[in-house]
Amino acid sequence: MTTPPQNALTSKAAPTTGSLLAQKMRSLGYYLRQHWVLYVMLIPGLFFLFIYKLLPLWGLQIAFKDYKIFAASDPWSAIAASKWVGLKHFKRLFGSSQFIKVLLNTLEINFLKILWLFPIPILCAILLNEIRNKLYQKLCQTLIYVPYFFSWVLIFGIFYSLLGSYGIINTVITALGGSRINFFGDQSVFRSVLVFTEGWKEVGYNTVIYLAAITGIDVTLYEAARVDGANKFQQIWSITLPGLLPTIILMLIMKVGYILTTGFEQVLVFYSPAVYDVADIIETYVYRIGMGQADFSLATALGLFNAVIAFILIVGANTVSKKTLGRSIW
């Protein structure tokens, strides 16, 4: 019997790179034809991503230019027409005492929100899950979830009627012989107002996320725990909380990553010059110097700094979580 040449064996046993690529392209084409509806549904999202996320990246160069809005016939062309100045605006930014103040305000306010508000949705989800009356459970879930859909302007109106100088709370305080509290103008209490109103609006939404995670826990684990004599608290500690751990880590990483970029709408609506010293955060400062003072270059430099630090924080938090707990986003 004649042995086939080694090249012939190789060509039959191992397809060439070109044939593998053609096979993958055929598989991809078949998959796209089978699921074309899903890809059509992606078009609005991709359009939004391009218009509002990718296209504005062109404007980042304003941070490195002396941007003159009237340097060309339109603001878009004025970006290219403006003169490069390197890191001039970053030096202005880091040398400003106001920058240090708004940076500290941003960190302190968001740290307070994480400290006080992060555990509450977890507790609410566990408590709601223990309610056996489904109608009552859905009613409670709806009541705490509804505020999430309110705009910050509407929420300000609600709380101003409660906490304003002549609101319900101050009326009760004065009726009991106390003095009125300026909740929206007193620097010592304004941050508490921010934390409380943020919790009132956002806790319900985060609770639903944790409730969804709880439904993914295998119910047979609870049945086995009950057979072994575990009480309700032991079941929560040994089954529910470990089952929620991946979601808790994910949410915590997201919170840490966005610690410099959250709270803009809330603070912008609630604060006033009287509380700038304790409430002015990076994003509101960018808004004031960019729109109010027309210093677009400095505002863009601050915004770019904010984005870079947020990226470092989220990558760092993800890395620490991956190395210490073995869980991460990617």
Side-chain angles (χ1 to χ4, degrees):
M1 178 180 290
T2 307
T3 303
Q6 186 65 30
N7 290 342
L9 286 174
T10 304
S11 62
K12 290 180 181 179
T16 62
T17 304
S19 63
L20 284 174
L21 181 60
Q23 184 179 357
K24 288 181 179 180
M25 291 300 293
R26 284 194 297 271
S27 300
L28 177 61
Y30 176 76
Y31 182 83
L32 292 177
R33 286 194 301 272
Q34 289 292 108
H35 304 282
W36 66 271
V37 175
L38 298 178
Y39 288 94
V40 170
M41 292 171 64
L42 277 176
I43 292 175
L46 293 174
F47 180 76
F48 174 87
L49 183 67
F50 177 76
I51 295 296
Y52 293 102
K53 299 298 182 180
L54 298 180
L55 204 58
L57 292 178
W58 166 262
L60 287 180
Q61 57 186 302
I62 295 176
F64 306 95
K65 290 187 171 188
D66 263 335
Y67 179 64
K68 307 296 181 185
I69 194 170
F70 299 111
S73 58
D74 59 86
W76 186 265
S77 303
I79 297 176
S82 299
K83 185 174 109 177
W84 290 96
V85 293
L87 300 177
K88 170 186 171 182
H89 301 297
F90 289 94
K91 293 176 181 176
R92 287 174 57 205
L93 178 65
F94 298 142
S96 169
S97 59
Q98 190 69 17
F99 166 73
I100 302 298
K101 183 183 295 184
V102 298
L103 178 60
L104 292 177
N105 284 344
T106 305
L107 293 173
E108 290 172 11
I109 291 172
N110 284 291
F111 175 76
L112 288 173
K113 288 180 178 180
I114 293 176
L115 178 66
W116 292 106
L117 302 181
F118 187 77
I120 295 178
I122 302 172
L123 179 61
C124 287
I126 293 173
L127 293 177
L128 283 173
N129 186 61
E130 296 303 321
I131 298 175
R132 291 296 165 253
N133 188 316
K134 293 301 179 183
L135 180 62
Y136 182 59
Q137 182 191 55
K138 295 297 182 183
L139 177 62
C140 293
Q141 181 179 331
T142 302
L143 288 176
I144 64 173
Y145 186 54
V146 164
Y148 176 75
F149 297 99
F150 296 167
S151 69
W152 278 114
V153 175
L154 178 58
I155 292 175
F156 174 76
I158 293 171
F159 279 92
Y160 191 79
S161 66
L162 295 173
L163 305 176
S165 299
Y166 296 94
I168 297 172
I169 303 299
N170 273 315
T171 301
V172 173
I173 291 174
T174 53
L176 295 175
S179 56
R180 298 182 186 275
I181 302 174
N182 187 4
F183 289 98
F184 296 97
D186 189 340
Q187 295 185 3
S188 62
V189 299
F190 185 74
R191 286 182 176 175
S192 300
V193 173
L194 292 179
V195 173
F196 181 80
T197 52
E198 170 91 6
W200 186 76
K201 184 179 189 295
E202 301 288 341
V203 161
Y205 174 77
N206 293 321
T207 298
V208 172
I209 294 175
Y210 292 115
L211 268 176
I214 289 176
T215 59
I217 299 175
D218 189 354
V219 294
T220 58
L221 296 175
Y222 293 100
E223 295 171 0
R226 283 193 294 270
V227 170
D228 290 340
N231 59 35
K232 186 58 66 177
F233 291 103
Q234 289 172 330
Q235 292 174 35
I236 292 172
W237 181 261
S238 301
I239 300 174
T240 307
L241 286 177
L244 284 175
L245 189 59
T247 306
I248 292 173
I249 292 172
L250 171 63
M251 297 298 289
L252 184 59
I253 290 173
M254 298 298 290
K255 288 285 185 184
V256 171
Y258 289 100
I259 198 170
L260 297 181
T261 58
T262 56
F264 168 69
E265 296 90 349
Q266 180 195 20
V267 175
L268 184 66
V269 171
F270 276 70
Y271 83 157
S272 65
V275 291
Y276 274 175
D277 287 343
V278 296
D280 203 16
I281 60 175
I282 289 178
E283 290 185 305
T284 55
Y285 184 61
V286 168
Y287 176 81
R288 287 198 298 111
I289 65 175
M291 301 299 294
Q293 303 176 17
D295 195 343
F296 301 108
S297 295
L298 185 62
T300 306
L302 180 54
L304 181 58
F305 165 80
N306 194 16
V308 170
I309 296 301
F311 175 76
I312 293 172
L313 285 174
I314 197 169
V315 172
N318 186 75
T319 303
V320 170
S321 174
K322 188 173 184 179
K323 291 190 174 180
T324 56
L325 301 174
R327 299 177 184 273
S328 61
I329 298 177
W330 64 83

